Each structure stands twice: as structure tokens, then as C-alpha cells.
């Protein structure tokens, strides 16, 4: 059996070796019990076979990723999102990226029993993002509006309201008000939440009647916080334990999709708009209760952040065993390297009432004053000069090539962390408690 597309030229040795090594690893995997039922010897044999294939995969991609990417995107004339790109690569080069069938098999299992095929997606996407030609093209593809948002745009511009499972979007007085409304789980994040958030951000950016965006958590039905607003509890660890948090659809789409759009804007083809193909708008975030993990990470891209005086912030990624998104890239520029290490490596919790909180929060107000303070901040950001200056600040603070280099390494390192035994053990205990 051969690949459906021939390997790029100048790979007469590596490509056949890679294909054979990949086949051996997959055949061995299929002959063994599921990972949690394997003997130590079987675990070692599977790891050795996978490592051999992955070493060849890295060699091949280091030499040929540009030719491969050009072939998949028809000479960079197709704007493929990451989910489309890995699917196309799996069809064209099955030795490089796991097939849809293998991924579906893994997706049906709890995290502890997965084979870790997403690591191979991470290897592939790291190579693409590291490329000075392919990487920027992929980032631009991820800044384009999603098909779902384009389908909903006419409805939103007409009614000013869109209700989704995880987010409610309402336009009022020129403000796109995004309310995270996973009231039963404290706005914990999962694949659906990422899809809804990107759709909402796209709509807010595309609607010409919107001048400023606001993100806030809604009122909770969770017993401990019933009737209170909460910003976000971060990644849904129960979903991670059950295998329902994916590398591509959650961890990478979140950073390269809606969070990156909050920074850079949405990329559209606009005749006559020669000065910028991006539609950007200023954004305000309002924190009630707490911003944990992914909620904390979000605050680092907003133009103005308010917090209730009784709120707190924490990044428990080291405790969970994973990497806190792009916080490692962004947070130290707000607070300096020492505090960043205390928060990211040691899990330090920061309360809004502490002086250190003012390094990342613009205003701390009493809970009963939040609504009025939010409205005042929205008025202050409603200016063309604000829009131009935020663009220049973001360019200076977060150069596109530096962001791309970080995301390239993040694609692989986060994939490896998802399958680390410490992570599997920790989230497994959380899943058992939740059950």
C-alpha cells in the first residue's frame, strides 16, 4: 500500500522509512490491549515503535513542510483552518498525520486509554507554524470568519441577538455584549464553548453597528454560586478526563481562533480597504467571582479589565499538568518574570484586593458598582483613535512572528502534556470525583 499522494521530491530515503515505521507502530498498537491494560513490556514496545516513527516524522517535516503545505493548499491559494489542514494531510499523507478513523477511535475513549495520535498532529502543526512561509498563511486562515458566523451574520445584524449553547450575544448601544452562560458548570470551557465563542467574536467584529465589545460571565445555577455572576472556571477537567477535550478543536483553535481575533481582528476581503484587511474593535472584560485557568488567560488580550473587589485570579495549569495557553508568552509583560513564575509554576492565587492584581486589572470596584463602571469603560473605548492606537500597541507588544514561534512549540508541547501520565492521573481523579 502507498500513500495517496507521492512524497515530495528529494525524500527517497526518509519517506519510505517513515511510512514503514508508521505502519509498524499502528499494527502493533492494534494488536495490543488498550493502554491501561498493557503490561510494562507491552507499554515499552508501543512507546519504542511510536518514538521511532515520530523521529522520522520530524526529520521529514523539517526538510519538506513547505512543499507539503503548498501541495495541500494549492500553492497557498486555499485558506485551510487547522482542522481542515490536518484532515487534508491525513488523506494525502497518511504516514504523517493520523486518519479520521484513528482519531475517532481515540475520541471514544477516556484520556487514559487513548493512543496519543494527537501528538502526531502536534508534530505536523509545529512544523507548519515554524515555517516563515506556511506559518503566516495558516495564521491568516485562522483569522478569517467561520462559516457558522457568516451564516448567522444577517440574523444578528437584523435582530441584534444570537443565542448559543455557551454564549449569548446581544448588540445594544453600539456594544456587542458577550455573556458566557454555562450556568451549570461555572463557564468551564470545552469544544462547544470554543466554537460558540469564536462565532460570537466573529459576529461582533463583522457587524458594522458594533463599535466596542464586552465579555462577562452570566448568573449561575450551580448550587454553590446560584444567582451570582461568575467569569470562568477554565478548562472543563471532567471533559478532559473523559477524552472530550481535543488538541485541534479546543486547545489550538481557542488560541489561534477567537482569542487571536480579539487581538488582531477578523481577516476579510474588503475592496478598497487597502490600509488594513482586518476588522478590529476594542474589548472590555468584566470579572465577577473568579477567572481561573482559561478565564485568567483571556484577560491578557483585553484592552480594559474590570474586576469586582471580591474576585480572584489563578492559573492552576502546573497543578493540572498542562500549559496555560499563551499565558506563558503574555503574562510576564504585564507583571514581570518573578510574579509570572509564582502564578504559572506555583499556582499562586491573586485576589483583586491585592496590589499585585493591579498589574493585570485596570479597575477594581465593589460588586454593586460593576454595572456602572462597565458602562463608563465602554464609553472611554468608543473612539477611532483608541482603535488605531490599540492596533499599534498590539503590534509592538505581540509581534506576529513571536506569537507564531510560541504557538509552533505550544502545538507539540501541549499535545505531549495531554498524554503525560501525571496529567492522566490528575484528571482521572477529578473525573472520578465528578462521577
Amino acid at each position: 500500500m502507498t500513500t495517496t499522494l507521492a512524497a515530495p521530491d528529494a525524500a527517497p530515503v526518509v519517506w519510505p522509512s517513515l511510512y514503514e515505521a508508521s505502519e509498524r507502530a499502528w499494527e502493533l498498537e492494534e494488536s495490543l490491549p488498550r493502554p491501561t491494560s498493557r503490561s510494562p513490556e507491552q507499554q515499552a514496545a508501543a512507546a519504542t515503535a511510536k518514538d521511532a516513527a515520530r523521529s522520522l516524522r520530524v526529520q521529514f517535516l523539517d526538510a519538506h513542510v513547505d512543499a507539503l503545505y503548498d501541495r495541500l493548499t494549492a500553492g497557498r491559494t486555499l485558506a485551510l483552518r487547522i482542522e481542515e489542514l490536518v484532515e487534508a494531510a491525513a488523506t494525502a499523507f497518511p504516514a504523517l498525520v493520523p486518519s479520521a478513523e484513528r482519531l475517532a477511535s481515540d475520541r471514544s475513549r477516556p484520556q487514559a486509554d487513548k493512543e496519543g495520535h494527537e501528538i502526531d498532529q502536534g508534530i505536523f502543526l509545529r512544523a507548519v507554524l515554524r515555517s516563515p512561509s506556511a506559518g503566516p498563511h495558516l495564521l491568516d486562515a485562522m483569522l478569517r470568519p467561520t462559516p457558522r458566523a457568516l451564516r448567522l451574520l444577517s440574523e444578528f445584524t437584523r435582530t441584534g441577538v444570537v443565542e448559543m449553547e455557551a454564549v449569548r450575544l446581544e448588540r445594544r448601544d453600539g456594544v456587542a455584549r458577550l455573556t458566557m452562560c454555562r450556568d451549570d458548570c461555572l463557564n468551564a470551557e470545552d469544544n462547544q464553548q470554543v466554537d460558540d465563542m469564536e462565532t460570537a467574536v466573529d459576529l461582533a467584529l463583522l457587524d458594522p453597528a458594533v463599535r466596542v465589545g464586552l465579555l462577562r460571565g452570566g448568573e449561575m445555577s450551580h448550587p454553590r454560586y446560584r444567582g451570582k455572576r461568575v467569569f470562568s472556571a477554565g478548562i472543563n477537567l471532567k471533559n478532559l478526563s473523559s477524552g472530550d477535550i481535543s488538541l485541534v478543536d479546543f486547545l489550538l483553535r481557542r488560541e489561534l481562533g477567537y482569542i487571536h481575533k480579539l487581538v488582531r481582528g477578523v481577516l476579510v476581503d474588503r475592496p478598497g480597504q487597502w490600509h488594513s484587511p482586518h476588522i478590529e474593535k476594542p474589548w472590555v472584560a468584566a470579572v465577577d467571582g473568579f477567572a481561573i485557568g482559561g478565564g485568567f488567560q483571556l484577560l491578557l488580550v483585553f484592552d480594559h479589565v474590570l474586576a469586582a473587589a471580591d474576585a480572584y485570579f489563578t492559573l492552576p495549569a502546573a497543578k493540572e499538568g498542562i500549559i496555560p495557553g499563551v499565558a506563558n508568552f503574555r503574562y510576564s509583560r504585564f507583571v514581570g518574570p518573578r510574579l509570572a513564575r509564582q502564578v504559572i509554576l506555583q499556582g499562586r492565587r491573586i485576589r483583586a484586593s491585592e496590589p499585585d492584581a493591579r498589574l493585570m486589572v485596570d479597575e477594581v470596584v465593589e460588586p454593586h458598582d460593576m454595572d456602572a463602571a462597565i458602562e463608563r469603560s465602554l464609553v472611554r473605548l468608543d473612539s477611532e483613535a483608541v482603535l488605531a492606537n490599540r492596533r499599534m500597541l498590539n503590534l509592538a507588544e505581540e509581534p506576529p512572528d513571536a506569537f507564531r514561534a510560541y504557538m509552533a512549540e505550544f502545538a507539540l508541547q501541549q499535545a505531549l502534556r495531554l498524554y503525560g501520565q501525571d496529567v492522566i492521573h490528575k484528571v482521572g481523579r477529578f473525573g472520578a470525583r465528578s462521577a
Side-chain angles (χ1 to χ4, degrees):
M1 179 179 178
T2 59
T3 57
T4 55
L5 258 174
D9 296 336
V13 177
V14 176
W15 181 256
S17 299
L18 168 58
Y19 192 79
E20 291 169 9
S22 299
E23 288 291 298
R24 283 196 299 271
W26 291 330
E27 288 172 4
L28 176 60
E29 168 191 305
E30 291 167 1
S31 71
L32 295 173
R34 288 192 174 187
T36 54
S37 300
R38 289 172 188 169
S39 68
E41 294 75 19
Q42 290 172 328
Q43 292 173 6
T48 298
K50 289 175 182 177
D51 284 346
R54 285 168 179 160
S55 178
L56 291 168
R57 205 165 280 131
V58 169
Q59 289 181 49
F60 176 79
L61 286 166
D62 283 348
H64 303 290
V65 68
D66 285 337
L68 182 149
Y69 185 82
D70 283 353
R71 195 175 295 186
L72 294 174
T73 60
R76 278 174 269 164
T77 61
L78 300 177
L80 299 184
R81 291 172 57 88
I82 50 172
E83 63 271 24
E84 297 169 325
L85 183 65
V86 294
E87 183 179 352
T91 300
F93 298 95
L96 282 178
V97 184
S99 66
E101 293 75 20
R102 285 194 174 89
L103 289 169
S105 176
D106 250 10
R107 199 170 294 124
S108 67
R109 305 177 184 184
Q111 196 70 13
D113 261 332
K114 291 186 178 184
E115 295 290 351
H117 294 306
E118 289 177 305
I119 294 172
D120 300 300
Q121 290 182 319
I123 291 171
F124 170 69
L125 290 170
R126 179 182 69 162
V128 171
L129 287 166
R130 286 169 68 177
S131 164
S133 55
H137 188 268
L138 177 57
L139 289 186
D140 280 351
M142 291 300 295
L143 288 178
R144 291 192 174 275
T146 64
R148 183 187 182 198
L150 293 174
R151 290 195 303 270
L152 293 173
L153 182 59
S154 61
E155 175 191 346
F156 179 65
T157 55
R158 179 175 58 84
T159 66
V161 178
V162 171
E163 299 272 2
M164 291 172 274
E165 181 178 334
V167 177
R168 184 178 192 271
L169 177 64
E170 179 185 6
R171 183 190 65 242
R172 192 168 72 249
D173 301 325
V175 178
R177 301 169 189 268
L178 280 68
T179 303
M180 296 179 285
C181 52
R182 281 284 177 84
D183 57 288
D184 59 330
C185 62
L186 306 178
N187 289 327
E189 299 175 300
D190 57 15
N191 289 7
Q192 183 63 53
Q193 195 262 10
V194 169
D195 188 41
D196 289 352
M197 282 293 289
E198 184 166 13
T199 302
V201 169
D202 280 351
L203 291 171
L205 290 168
L206 291 169
D207 183 354
V210 169
R211 301 186 302 275
V212 185
L214 167 69
L215 180 64
R216 194 178 186 186
E219 292 186 2
M220 298 293 104
S221 62
H222 187 283
R224 189 173 175 184
Y225 295 91
R226 192 181 306 278
K228 297 180 180 180
R229 285 184 181 269
V230 161
F231 191 72
S232 174
I235 192 170
N236 191 317
L237 293 174
K238 181 180 178 182
N239 283 20
L240 179 56
S241 175
S242 63
D244 294 323
I245 295 290
S246 67
L247 176 70
V248 168
D249 293 326
F250 180 90
L251 293 162
L252 292 176
R253 178 181 176 182
R254 180 178 184 271
E255 305 298 342
L256 296 175
Y258 85 86
I259 297 181
H260 196 207
K261 288 173 177 176
L262 290 171
V263 178
R264 301 291 180 199
V266 69
L267 179 62
V268 295
D269 299 316
R270 297 189 294 167
Q273 295 295 319
W274 51 266
H275 49 84
S276 176
H278 296 84
I279 301 174
E280 304 173 51
K281 288 167 187 178
W283 291 90
V284 173
V287 180
D288 304 275
F290 46 75
I292 298 173
F296 184 115
Q297 297 162 31
L298 275 173
L299 304 181
L300 304 178
V301 301
F302 279 77
D303 301 298
H304 191 83
V305 177
L306 302 98
D310 57 355
Y312 68 87
F313 317 90
T314 181
L315 271 179
K319 181 179 178 181
E320 295 161 356
I322 58 177
I323 299 168
V326 189
N328 303 50
F329 177 65
R330 295 180 172 130
Y331 188 44
S332 62
R333 82 165 181 252
F334 285 85
V335 303
R338 295 270 47 94
L339 182 54
R341 280 168 171 74
Q342 292 170 24
V343 171
I344 293 172
L345 303 183
Q346 301 171 45
R348 176 182 166 185
R349 176 181 293 190
I350 297 180
R351 298 193 176 277
S353 55
E354 294 180 46
D356 282 343
R358 296 308 300 268
L359 296 171
M360 62 176 292
V361 174
D362 299 286
E363 291 185 70
V364 178
V365 300
E366 293 302 318
H368 62 270
D369 290 331
M370 281 288 283
D371 290 347
I374 289 169
E375 296 307 315
R376 289 193 298 270
S377 71
L378 292 167
V379 171
R380 288 196 298 270
L381 289 183
D382 188 1
S383 161
E384 289 293 330
V386 166
L387 191 60
N389 279 287
R390 84 179 289 275
R391 179 179 302 157
M392 300 308 294
L393 284 168
N394 285 335
L395 183 63
E397 293 173 351
E398 193 168 302
D401 282 346
F403 172 74
R404 178 173 57 82
Y406 179 92
M407 287 306 304
E409 196 59 27
F410 176 81
L412 178 56
Q413 296 303 322
Q414 189 73 301
L416 292 169
R417 284 284 72 218
L418 283 179
Y419 296 95
Q421 287 304 305
D422 59 323
V423 174
I424 289 170
H425 179 65
K426 289 170 184 175
V427 300
R429 287 186 300 174
F430 183 89
R433 288 200 305 271
S434 299

